[in-house]
Amino acid sequence: MSQFLNQNPRTHTCHDLNIQNLGQKVVLMGWVQSLRDHGGRRFIDLRDRYGITQVVFKPETNAKLHARSHELRSEWCIGIKGLVEDRKSNGGSPNPRLKTGEIEIDVQELEIFNRSQTPPFLIENQIDTHEDKRLAHRVMDLRRPEMQANFKLRHQVMQATRRYLDKDQFLELETPALVKYTPGGARNFIVPSRLQPKSFFALAESPQIFKQLFMVAGMDRYFQIVKCFRDEDLRGDRQPEFTQIDIEMSFINEEDIYKMTEGLVKSIFDSVLNVKLASSFKRITHTEAMSRYGSDKPDTRFGLEHTDLTPVLKDLNGGGVTLFEQTLSKGGMIKAMCIPKAHELSRTEVSKLEDLVKSMGGLGLGRAKAAENGSAWTQSPFAKQITPEALKAINQACKANDGDLILFQMGKPKLVNMVLAGLRTRLAERFKLIPKNTWDVLWITDFPLFEHDEDTNTYIAAHHPFTSPRPEDIERLKSNPGACKSRAYDLVINGNEVGGGSIRNYDPEVQAKVFEALGVSAEEQESKFGFLLEALRFGAPPHGGIAFGLDRLCMIMAGASSIRDVIAFPKSQRGTDLFTGAPTPIDNKQLLELGLTFRI
RNA sequence: GGGGUGGUAGUUAAGUUGGUUAUAACGCCGGCCUGUCACGCCGGAGGCCGCGGGUUCAAGUCCCGUCCACCCCGCCA
């Protein structure tokens, strides 16, 4: 029990005091950020969540205290009582980098709440410690001002969301995390039920069905800031548990969703970052995004757009190049990206790009440099074979001028797009084409309803099976599923997918047709999604919604390079918690209680 | 599941064609210093070179395996 704390409640934070407070007796609490010992003067930077204040121990104020301050060390947690003094009149100089830089505290009383072991790394912003060490000492990592700012931002994003949606008549409603396992989509974490042996819950991968049930129940406008769980492999922007801002609305169409979202996102950016976003966001169709950028989440802050050469070369029968001809005969795609002359690449760099292509699963990197007034190619394996006609056509399609480098990818469209999109972002970084402090917000619209699965030769839902097809596609759901478009949309910021949603099937007959097209039998529909279909039969309203990845949004807004920097206790890439050591084995007694045994 | 990068002092890194006692910076410990704030000066401690095999007279360095972290592909309706 600290007498000091009882008798001396904190009067200010380490960010509060300035020249206005001269002569005041104050009490500050915090951590020792740094020590500077000058023999007859000992300076300490005291840090709390709010800032830093310099405190000074002087022998003439209290000789015993000055002597005792000698034992203080970095990251000790202390409280001090003292007088606010002017640094200048004390013979020092102000520190313009600190808000409290004009003053210092002459310490009269010192309380050491707790000593600290030597910290594993320095508690400062420009840290170069490897991430595994930061995660292993996460508490110390979270002490760093940079990290504290990230979590303050996260808090502000959540509060701005609640304020905006509350004002807009949304109800914040909760849905279960322990849910019925439903097939399809992300792999679920499975939770054994003790009370129902041999039965299992799934952790909700999203509240999708429940929010639709809310709409049927007449809740009209729902939102939730909710944890979702997906047992899939991790990435820099993917964690097994993550947070969504989940929204659903009744009696609306796409335009209502766009309007609501634009209002919400603008409000968040305005109140958190004081950034005014465009009044309505750009829109680009999925087809156009894939064609121009090879990605359904393009970063359109820079150019380096793709050119689809497939139609051009089809007309020219491959233009004399064997590789082109072979690709076309197999129904493949040929795409190019033109790197302007201004962005010079050395031979080594181009060969490194080829390594990158191969690491992404591509076969190689075709290239050609335009020369001789667009009548020749150099440094190209295609130069010997290509007909003059095709060469010109390609140059023209790519808008290639002399000295420009054309990079080619050919083969299956999915791979071509992925590889070329990877090259595009790599080159944008290489040539610093990405403007800082800009917010590129766009809608991706008109997604295909289904994706073709090559392995099983079946169609699977591109978004999820509750997504409504465009009305004009309902008739051809079965006859031509590949051509059907959905009423789904994604929100992309700076090349990150931060949100996605759709208008749902509220007509049980349409829903049944979609399931049918997906090859889900009537019996399966009832056993797996019966509760939803049942609800739809009780007067379901037209409805739709959207969900935002809160972590990704915060990552982008904080300028962080990984989602882990805005999640307090994230998992490592192999899905473990390096701080607590989770997951851990459990003992046989626990297993027995659950009616489980190991086979291995 | 596949591909890549990395692992050397508390931290970040250097370490040559394999060859004396494995370096540096920061941090840490001790001393000096009355105006610092990346304080300064003097001195010192600190190493299973991720782990396990192998090659060799000799391995941080070469080979094989393995673990961990991160990035990418697959996966993420």
Side-chain angles (χ1 to χ4, degrees), chain A residues 411-432:
Chain A
K412 289 186 178 171
K414 208 176 160 186
L415 185 65
V416 167
N417 279 322
M418 191 267 291
V419 169
L420 216 49
L423 286 175
R424 181 173 175 266
T425 45
R426 169 65 65 94
L427 289 167
E429 283 160 19
R430 162 69 180 77
F431 296 115
K432 300 192 167 57

mmCIF file with all atom_site columns, all heavy atoms in Angstrom, chain A residues 411-432:
data_model
loop_
_atom_site.group_PDB
_atom_site.id
_atom_site.type_symbol
_atom_site.label_atom_id
_atom_site.label_alt_id
_atom_site.label_comp_id
_atom_site.label_asym_id
_atom_site.label_entity_id
_atom_site.label_seq_id
_atom_site.pdbx_PDB_ins_code
_atom_site.Cartn_x
_atom_site.Cartn_y
_atom_site.Cartn_z
_atom_site.occupancy
_atom_site.B_iso_or_equiv
_atom_site.pdbx_formal_charge
_atom_site.auth_seq_id
_atom_site.auth_comp_id
_atom_site.auth_asym_id
_atom_site.auth_atom_id
_atom_site.pdbx_PDB_model_num
ATOM 1   N N   . GLY A 1 411 ? -0.690 -16.584 -70.136 1.00 0.00 ? 411 GLY A N   1
ATOM 2   C CA  . GLY A 1 411 ? -1.121 -17.861 -69.583 1.00 0.00 ? 411 GLY A CA  1
ATOM 3   C C   . GLY A 1 411 ? -2.528 -17.759 -69.060 1.00 0.00 ? 411 GLY A C   1
ATOM 4   O O   . GLY A 1 411 ? -3.347 -17.019 -69.602 1.00 0.00 ? 411 GLY A O   1
ATOM 5   N N   . LYS A 1 412 ? -2.777 -18.461 -67.965 1.00 0.00 ? 412 LYS A N   1
ATOM 6   C CA  . LYS A 1 412 ? -4.119 -18.427 -67.382 1.00 0.00 ? 412 LYS A CA  1
ATOM 7   C C   . LYS A 1 412 ? -4.374 -17.046 -66.788 1.00 0.00 ? 412 LYS A C   1
ATOM 8   O O   . LYS A 1 412 ? -3.547 -16.521 -66.045 1.00 0.00 ? 412 LYS A O   1
ATOM 9   C CB  . LYS A 1 412 ? -4.237 -19.500 -66.297 1.00 0.00 ? 412 LYS A CB  1
ATOM 10  C CG  . LYS A 1 412 ? -4.255 -20.900 -66.875 1.00 0.00 ? 412 LYS A CG  1
ATOM 11  C CD  . LYS A 1 412 ? -4.512 -21.945 -65.811 1.00 0.00 ? 412 LYS A CD  1
ATOM 12  C CE  . LYS A 1 412 ? -4.577 -23.312 -66.467 1.00 0.00 ? 412 LYS A CE  1
ATOM 13  N NZ  . LYS A 1 412 ? -4.603 -24.408 -65.492 1.00 0.00 ? 412 LYS A NZ  1
ATOM 14  N N   . PRO A 1 413 ? -5.551 -16.473 -67.092 1.00 0.00 ? 413 PRO A N   1
ATOM 15  C CA  . PRO A 1 413 ? -5.833 -15.095 -66.678 1.00 0.00 ? 413 PRO A CA  1
ATOM 16  C C   . PRO A 1 413 ? -5.580 -14.850 -65.192 1.00 0.00 ? 413 PRO A C   1
ATOM 17  O O   . PRO A 1 413 ? -5.026 -13.815 -64.815 1.00 0.00 ? 413 PRO A O   1
ATOM 18  C CB  . PRO A 1 413 ? -7.313 -14.920 -67.022 1.00 0.00 ? 413 PRO A CB  1
ATOM 19  C CG  . PRO A 1 413 ? -7.560 -15.882 -68.136 1.00 0.00 ? 413 PRO A CG  1
ATOM 20  C CD  . PRO A 1 413 ? -6.644 -17.050 -67.900 1.00 0.00 ? 413 PRO A CD  1
ATOM 21  N N   . LYS A 1 414 ? -5.968 -15.790 -64.350 1.00 0.00 ? 414 LYS A N   1
ATOM 22  C CA  . LYS A 1 414 ? -5.830 -15.592 -62.911 1.00 0.00 ? 414 LYS A CA  1
ATOM 23  C C   . LYS A 1 414 ? -4.372 -15.350 -62.525 1.00 0.00 ? 414 LYS A C   1
ATOM 24  O O   . LYS A 1 414 ? -4.047 -14.434 -61.769 1.00 0.00 ? 414 LYS A O   1
ATOM 25  C CB  . LYS A 1 414 ? -6.369 -16.832 -62.187 1.00 0.00 ? 414 LYS A CB  1
ATOM 26  C CG  . LYS A 1 414 ? -6.907 -16.535 -60.812 1.00 0.00 ? 414 LYS A CG  1
ATOM 27  C CD  . LYS A 1 414 ? -7.519 -17.767 -60.172 1.00 0.00 ? 414 LYS A CD  1
ATOM 28  C CE  . LYS A 1 414 ? -7.601 -17.578 -58.665 1.00 0.00 ? 414 LYS A CE  1
ATOM 29  N NZ  . LYS A 1 414 ? -8.047 -18.766 -57.971 1.00 0.00 ? 414 LYS A NZ  1
ATOM 30  N N   . LEU A 1 415 ? -3.501 -16.190 -63.077 1.00 0.00 ? 415 LEU A N   1
ATOM 31  C CA  . LEU A 1 415 ? -2.077 -16.089 -62.768 1.00 0.00 ? 415 LEU A CA  1
ATOM 32  C C   . LEU A 1 415 ? -1.463 -14.833 -63.399 1.00 0.00 ? 415 LEU A C   1
ATOM 33  O O   . LEU A 1 415 ? -0.697 -14.111 -62.759 1.00 0.00 ? 415 LEU A O   1
ATOM 34  C CB  . LEU A 1 415 ? -1.353 -17.347 -63.264 1.00 0.00 ? 415 LEU A CB  1
ATOM 35  C CG  . LEU A 1 415 ? 0.121  -17.455 -62.902 1.00 0.00 ? 415 LEU A CG  1
ATOM 36  C CD1 . LEU A 1 415 ? 0.297  -17.575 -61.400 1.00 0.00 ? 415 LEU A CD1 1
ATOM 37  C CD2 . LEU A 1 415 ? 0.770  -18.638 -63.606 1.00 0.00 ? 415 LEU A CD2 1
ATOM 38  N N   . VAL A 1 416 ? -1.828 -14.585 -64.668 1.00 0.00 ? 416 VAL A N   1
ATOM 39  C CA  . VAL A 1 416 ? -1.312 -13.408 -65.371 1.00 0.00 ? 416 VAL A CA  1
ATOM 40  C C   . VAL A 1 416 ? -1.629 -12.143 -64.577 1.00 0.00 ? 416 VAL A C   1
ATOM 41  O O   . VAL A 1 416 ? -0.758 -11.306 -64.332 1.00 0.00 ? 416 VAL A O   1
ATOM 42  C CB  . VAL A 1 416 ? -1.919 -13.323 -66.790 1.00 0.00 ? 416 VAL A CB  1
ATOM 43  C CG1 . VAL A 1 416 ? -1.664 -11.959 -67.411 1.00 0.00 ? 416 VAL A CG1 1
ATOM 44  C CG2 . VAL A 1 416 ? -1.362 -14.435 -67.664 1.00 0.00 ? 416 VAL A CG2 1
ATOM 45  N N   . ASN A 1 417 ? -2.875 -12.029 -64.154 1.00 0.00 ? 417 ASN A N   1
ATOM 46  C CA  . ASN A 1 417 ? -3.288 -10.843 -63.411 1.00 0.00 ? 417 ASN A CA  1
ATOM 47  C C   . ASN A 1 417 ? -2.568 -10.722 -62.079 1.00 0.00 ? 417 ASN A C   1
ATOM 48  O O   . ASN A 1 417 ? -2.100 -9.653  -61.697 1.00 0.00 ? 417 ASN A O   1
ATOM 49  C CB  . ASN A 1 417 ? -4.802 -10.878 -63.180 1.00 0.00 ? 417 ASN A CB  1
ATOM 50  C CG  . ASN A 1 417 ? -5.567 -10.391 -64.400 1.00 0.00 ? 417 ASN A CG  1
ATOM 51  O OD1 . ASN A 1 417 ? -5.140 -9.451  -65.064 1.00 0.00 ? 417 ASN A OD1 1
ATOM 52  N ND2 . ASN A 1 417 ? -6.661 -11.055 -64.720 1.00 0.00 ? 417 ASN A ND2 1
ATOM 53  N N   . MET A 1 418 ? -2.472 -11.844 -61.384 1.00 0.00 ? 418 MET A N   1
ATOM 54  C CA  . MET A 1 418 ? -1.848 -11.815 -60.069 1.00 0.00 ? 418 MET A CA  1
ATOM 55  C C   . MET A 1 418 ? -0.380 -11.398 -60.164 1.00 0.00 ? 418 MET A C   1
ATOM 56  O O   . MET A 1 418 ? 0.084  -10.540 -59.414 1.00 0.00 ? 418 MET A O   1
ATOM 57  C CB  . MET A 1 418 ? -1.994 -13.202 -59.426 1.00 0.00 ? 418 MET A CB  1
ATOM 58  C CG  . MET A 1 418 ? -1.644 -13.272 -57.978 1.00 0.00 ? 418 MET A CG  1
ATOM 59  S SD  . MET A 1 418 ? 0.052  -13.741 -57.763 1.00 0.00 ? 418 MET A SD  1
ATOM 60  C CE  . MET A 1 418 ? -0.026 -15.438 -58.306 1.00 0.00 ? 418 MET A CE  1
ATOM 61  N N   . VAL A 1 419 ? 0.324  -12.005 -61.110 1.00 0.00 ? 419 VAL A N   1
ATOM 62  C CA  . VAL A 1 419 ? 1.748  -11.715 -61.249 1.00 0.00 ? 419 VAL A CA  1
ATOM 63  C C   . VAL A 1 419 ? 1.970  -10.272 -61.681 1.00 0.00 ? 419 VAL A C   1
ATOM 64  O O   . VAL A 1 419 ? 2.800  -9.547  -61.109 1.00 0.00 ? 419 VAL A O   1
ATOM 65  C CB  . VAL A 1 419 ? 2.393  -12.702 -62.253 1.00 0.00 ? 419 VAL A CB  1
ATOM 66  C CG1 . VAL A 1 419 ? 3.797  -12.257 -62.604 1.00 0.00 ? 419 VAL A CG1 1
ATOM 67  C CG2 . VAL A 1 419 ? 2.402  -14.112 -61.684 1.00 0.00 ? 419 VAL A CG2 1
ATOM 68  N N   . LEU A 1 420 ? 1.199  -9.851  -62.668 1.00 0.00 ? 420 LEU A N   1
ATOM 69  C CA  . LEU A 1 420 ? 1.397  -8.493  -63.186 1.00 0.00 ? 420 LEU A CA  1
ATOM 70  C C   . LEU A 1 420 ? 0.987  -7.449  -62.136 1.00 0.00 ? 420 LEU A C   1
ATOM 71  O O   . LEU A 1 420 ? 1.588  -6.382  -62.046 1.00 0.00 ? 420 LEU A O   1
ATOM 72  C CB  . LEU A 1 420 ? 0.599  -8.321  -64.491 1.00 0.00 ? 420 LEU A CB  1
ATOM 73  C CG  . LEU A 1 420 ? 1.227  -7.460  -65.581 1.00 0.00 ? 420 LEU A CG  1
ATOM 74  C CD1 . LEU A 1 420 ? 2.669  -7.841  -65.846 1.00 0.00 ? 420 LEU A CD1 1
ATOM 75  C CD2 . LEU A 1 420 ? 0.430  -7.551  -66.866 1.00 0.00 ? 420 LEU A CD2 1
ATOM 76  N N   . ALA A 1 421 ? -0.016 -7.776  -61.330 1.00 0.00 ? 421 ALA A N   1
ATOM 77  C CA  . ALA A 1 421 ? -0.415 -6.864  -60.256 1.00 0.00 ? 421 ALA A CA  1
ATOM 78  C C   . ALA A 1 421 ? 0.692  -6.782  -59.199 1.00 0.00 ? 421 ALA A C   1
ATOM 79  O O   . ALA A 1 421 ? 0.979  -5.705  -58.670 1.00 0.00 ? 421 ALA A O   1
ATOM 80  C CB  . ALA A 1 421 ? -1.721 -7.336  -59.619 1.00 0.00 ? 421 ALA A CB  1
ATOM 81  N N   . GLY A 1 422 ? 1.330  -7.927  -58.936 1.00 0.00 ? 422 GLY A N   1
ATOM 82  C CA  . GLY A 1 422 ? 2.450  -7.940  -57.999 1.00 0.00 ? 422 GLY A CA  1
ATOM 83  C C   . GLY A 1 422 ? 3.603  -7.095  -58.507 1.00 0.00 ? 422 GLY A C   1
ATOM 84  O O   . GLY A 1 422 ? 4.215  -6.320  -57.757 1.00 0.00 ? 422 GLY A O   1
ATOM 85  N N   . LEU A 1 423 ? 3.891  -7.221  -59.801 1.00 0.00 ? 423 LEU A N   1
ATOM 86  C CA  . LEU A 1 423 ? 4.958  -6.411  -60.403 1.00 0.00 ? 423 LEU A CA  1
ATOM 87  C C   . LEU A 1 423 ? 4.619  -4.924  -60.330 1.00 0.00 ? 423 LEU A C   1
ATOM 88  O O   . LEU A 1 423 ? 5.483  -4.094  -60.069 1.00 0.00 ? 423 LEU A O   1
ATOM 89  C CB  . LEU A 1 423 ? 5.156  -6.806  -61.873 1.00 0.00 ? 423 LEU A CB  1
ATOM 90  C CG  . LEU A 1 423 ? 5.858  -8.133  -62.133 1.00 0.00 ? 423 LEU A CG  1
ATOM 91  C CD1 . LEU A 1 423 ? 5.853  -8.438  -63.627 1.00 0.00 ? 423 LEU A CD1 1
ATOM 92  C CD2 . LEU A 1 423 ? 7.298  -8.094  -61.620 1.00 0.00 ? 423 LEU A CD2 1
ATOM 93  N N   . ARG A 1 424 ? 3.345  -4.640  -60.543 1.00 0.00 ? 424 ARG A N   1
ATOM 94  C CA  . ARG A 1 424 ? 2.916  -3.240  -60.554 1.00 0.00 ? 424 ARG A CA  1
ATOM 95  C C   . ARG A 1 424 ? 3.188  -2.580  -59.202 1.00 0.00 ? 424 ARG A C   1
ATOM 96  O O   . ARG A 1 424 ? 3.763  -1.486  -59.146 1.00 0.00 ? 424 ARG A O   1
ATOM 97  C CB  . ARG A 1 424 ? 1.418  -3.182  -60.892 1.00 0.00 ? 424 ARG A CB  1
ATOM 98  C CG  . ARG A 1 424 ? 0.866  -1.785  -60.948 1.00 0.00 ? 424 ARG A CG  1
ATOM 99  C CD  . ARG A 1 424 ? -0.570 -1.743  -61.453 1.00 0.00 ? 424 ARG A CD  1
ATOM 100 N NE  . ARG A 1 424 ? -1.067 -0.382  -61.356 1.00 0.00 ? 424 ARG A NE  1
ATOM 101 C CZ  . ARG A 1 424 ? -1.748 0.089   -60.324 1.00 0.00 ? 424 ARG A CZ  1
ATOM 102 N NH1 . ARG A 1 424 ? -2.054 -0.697  -59.312 1.00 0.00 ? 424 ARG A NH1 1
ATOM 103 N NH2 . ARG A 1 424 ? -2.123 1.361   -60.302 1.00 0.00 ? 424 ARG A NH2 1
ATOM 104 N N   . THR A 1 425 ? 2.807  -3.249  -58.124 1.00 0.00 ? 425 THR A N   1
ATOM 105 C CA  . THR A 1 425 ? 3.023  -2.616  -56.817 1.00 0.00 ? 425 THR A CA  1
ATOM 106 C C   . THR A 1 425 ? 4.510  -2.586  -56.472 1.00 0.00 ? 425 THR A C   1
ATOM 107 O O   . THR A 1 425 ? 4.997  -1.625  -55.889 1.00 0.00 ? 425 THR A O   1
ATOM 108 C CB  . THR A 1 425 ? 2.247  -3.342  -55.701 1.00 0.00 ? 425 THR A CB  1
ATOM 109 O OG1 . THR A 1 425 ? 2.418  -4.742  -55.851 1.00 0.00 ? 425 THR A OG1 1
ATOM 110 C CG2 . THR A 1 425 ? 0.786  -3.026  -55.757 1.00 0.00 ? 425 THR A CG2 1
ATOM 111 N N   . ARG A 1 426 ? 5.234  -3.653  -56.841 1.00 0.00 ? 426 ARG A N   1
ATOM 112 C CA  . ARG A 1 426 ? 6.671  -3.659  -56.561 1.00 0.00 ? 426 ARG A CA  1
ATOM 113 C C   . ARG A 1 426 ? 7.367  -2.484  -57.267 1.00 0.00 ? 426 ARG A C   1
ATOM 114 O O   . ARG A 1 426 ? 8.194  -1.780  -56.680 1.00 0.00 ? 426 ARG A O   1
ATOM 115 C CB  . ARG A 1 426 ? 7.277  -4.994  -57.021 1.00 0.00 ? 426 ARG A CB  1
ATOM 116 C CG  . ARG A 1 426 ? 8.788  -5.032  -57.021 1.00 0.00 ? 426 ARG A CG  1
ATOM 117 C CD  . ARG A 1 426 ? 9.373  -4.904  -55.621 1.00 0.00 ? 426 ARG A CD  1
ATOM 118 N NE  . ARG A 1 426 ? 9.022  -6.025  -54.780 1.00 0.00 ? 426 ARG A NE  1
ATOM 119 C CZ  . ARG A 1 426 ? 9.792  -7.106  -54.620 1.00 0.00 ? 426 ARG A CZ  1
ATOM 120 N NH1 . ARG A 1 426 ? 10.957 -7.180  -55.215 1.00 0.00 ? 426 ARG A NH1 1
ATOM 121 N NH2 . ARG A 1 426 ? 9.402  -8.080  -53.828 1.00 0.00 ? 426 ARG A NH2 1
ATOM 122 N N   . LEU A 1 427 ? 7.009  -2.272  -58.533 1.00 0.00 ? 427 LEU A N   1
ATOM 123 C CA  . LEU A 1 427 ? 7.652  -1.197  -59.294 1.00 0.00 ? 427 LEU A CA  1
ATOM 124 C C   . LEU A 1 427 ? 7.234  0.176   -58.786 1.00 0.00 ? 427 LEU A C   1
ATOM 125 O O   . LEU A 1 427 ? 8.027  1.117   -58.788 1.00 0.00 ? 427 LEU A O   1
ATOM 126 C CB  . LEU A 1 427 ? 7.338  -1.352  -60.785 1.00 0.00 ? 427 LEU A CB  1
ATOM 127 C CG  . LEU A 1 427 ? 8.062  -2.539  -61.431 1.00 0.00 ? 427 LEU A CG  1
ATOM 128 C CD1 . LEU A 1 427 ? 7.491  -2.850  -62.809 1.00 0.00 ? 427 LEU A CD1 1
ATOM 129 C CD2 . LEU A 1 427 ? 9.561  -2.275  -61.525 1.00 0.00 ? 427 LEU A CD2 1
ATOM 130 N N   . ALA A 1 428 ? 5.995  0.273   -58.325 1.00 0.00 ? 428 ALA A N   1
ATOM 131 C CA  . ALA A 1 428 ? 5.542  1.554   -57.772 1.00 0.00 ? 428 ALA A CA  1
ATOM 132 C C   . ALA A 1 428 ? 6.359  1.914   -56.538 1.00 0.00 ? 428 ALA A C   1
ATOM 133 O O   . ALA A 1 428 ? 6.721  3.069   -56.326 1.00 0.00 ? 428 ALA A O   1
ATOM 134 C CB  . ALA A 1 428 ? 4.063  1.480   -57.433 1.00 0.00 ? 428 ALA A CB  1
ATOM 135 N N   . GLU A 1 429 ? 6.675  0.895   -55.725 1.00 0.00 ? 429 GLU A N   1
ATOM 136 C CA  . GLU A 1 429 ? 7.512  1.138   -54.552 1.00 0.00 ? 429 GLU A CA  1
ATOM 137 C C   . GLU A 1 429 ? 8.931  1.480   -54.982 1.00 0.00 ? 429 GLU A C   1
ATOM 138 O O   . GLU A 1 429 ? 9.543  2.418   -54.476 1.00 0.00 ? 429 GLU A O   1
ATOM 139 C CB  . GLU A 1 429 ? 7.531  -0.105  -53.650 1.00 0.00 ? 429 GLU A CB  1
ATOM 140 C CG  . GLU A 1 429 ? 6.263  -0.273  -52.832 1.00 0.00 ? 429 GLU A CG  1
ATOM 141 C CD  . GLU A 1 429 ? 6.066  -1.705  -52.340 1.00 0.00 ? 429 GLU A CD  1
ATOM 142 O OE1 . GLU A 1 429 ? 7.041  -2.482  -52.316 1.00 0.00 ? 429 GLU A OE1 1
ATOM 143 O OE2 . GLU A 1 429 ? 4.915  -2.045  -51.994 1.00 0.00 ? 429 GLU A OE2 1
ATOM 144 N N   . ARG A 1 430 ? 9.425  0.716   -55.951 1.00 0.00 ? 430 ARG A N   1
ATOM 145 C CA  . ARG A 1 430 ? 10.793 0.919   -56.438 1.00 0.00 ? 430 ARG A CA  1
ATOM 146 C C   . ARG A 1 430 ? 10.999 2.354   -56.951 1.00 0.00 ? 430 ARG A C   1
ATOM 147 O O   . ARG A 1 430 ? 12.022 2.986   -56.695 1.00 0.00 ? 430 ARG A O   1
ATOM 148 C CB  . ARG A 1 430 ? 11.088 -0.102  -57.540 1.00 0.00 ? 430 ARG A CB  1
ATOM 149 C CG  . ARG A 1 430 ? 12.255 0.200   -58.456 1.00 0.00 ? 430 ARG A CG  1
ATOM 150 C CD  . ARG A 1 430 ? 13.591 0.098   -57.756 1.00 0.00 ? 430 ARG A CD  1
ATOM 151 N NE  . ARG A 1 430 ? 14.701 0.397   -58.654 1.00 0.00 ? 430 ARG A NE  1
ATOM 152 C CZ  . ARG A 1 430 ? 15.060 1.611   -59.030 1.00 0.00 ? 430 ARG A CZ  1
ATOM 153 N NH1 . ARG A 1 430 ? 14.407 2.672   -58.580 1.00 0.00 ? 430 ARG A NH1 1
ATOM 154 N NH2 . ARG A 1 430 ? 16.087 1.792   -59.858 1.00 0.00 ? 430 ARG A NH2 1
ATOM 155 N N   . PHE A 1 431 ? 10.025 2.863   -57.677 1.00 0.00 ? 431 PHE A N   1
ATOM 156 C CA  . PHE A 1 431 ? 10.168 4.199   -58.260 1.00 0.00 ? 431 PHE A CA  1
ATOM 157 C C   . PHE A 1 431 ? 9.450  5.267   -57.440 1.00 0.00 ? 431 PHE A C   1
ATOM 158 O O   . PHE A 1 431 ? 9.265  6.382   -57.899 1.00 0.00 ? 431 PHE A O   1
ATOM 159 C CB  . PHE A 1 431 ? 9.666  4.201   -59.704 1.00 0.00 ? 431 PHE A CB  1
ATOM 160 C CG  . PHE A 1 431 ? 10.473 3.312   -60.605 1.00 0.00 ? 431 PHE A CG  1
ATOM 161 C CD1 . PHE A 1 431 ? 9.920  2.191   -61.195 1.00 0.00 ? 431 PHE A CD1 1
ATOM 162 C CD2 . PHE A 1 431 ? 11.806 3.587   -60.826 1.00 0.00 ? 431 PHE A CD2 1
ATOM 163 C CE1 . PHE A 1 431 ? 10.672 1.365   -62.004 1.00 0.00 ? 431 PHE A CE1 1
ATOM 164 C CE2 . PHE A 1 431 ? 12.578 2.768   -61.646 1.00 0.00 ? 431 PHE A CE2 1
ATOM 165 C CZ  . PHE A 1 431 ? 12.013 1.646   -62.235 1.00 0.00 ? 431 PHE A CZ  1
ATOM 166 N N   . LYS A 1 432 ? 9.054  4.894   -56.243 1.00 0.00 ? 432 LYS A N   1
ATOM 167 C CA  . LYS A 1 432 ? 8.416  5.846   -55.324 1.00 0.00 ? 432 LYS A CA  1
ATOM 168 C C   . LYS A 1 432 ? 7.263  6.600   -56.001 1.00 0.00 ? 432 LYS A C   1
ATOM 169 O O   . LYS A 1 432 ? 7.187  7.821   -55.958 1.00 0.00 ? 432 LYS A O   1
ATOM 170 C CB  . LYS A 1 432 ? 9.444  6.822   -54.767 1.00 0.00 ? 432 LYS A CB  1
ATOM 171 C CG  . LYS A 1 432 ? 10.556 6.135   -53.994 1.00 0.00 ? 432 LYS A CG  1
ATOM 172 C CD  . LYS A 1 432 ? 11.402 7.136   -53.216 1.00 0.00 ? 432 LYS A CD  1
ATOM 173 C CE  . LYS A 1 432 ? 12.309 6.460   -52.207 1.00 0.00 ? 432 LYS A CE  1
ATOM 174 N NZ  . LYS A 1 432 ? 13.234 5.455   -52.781 1.00 0.00 ? 432 LYS A NZ  1
#
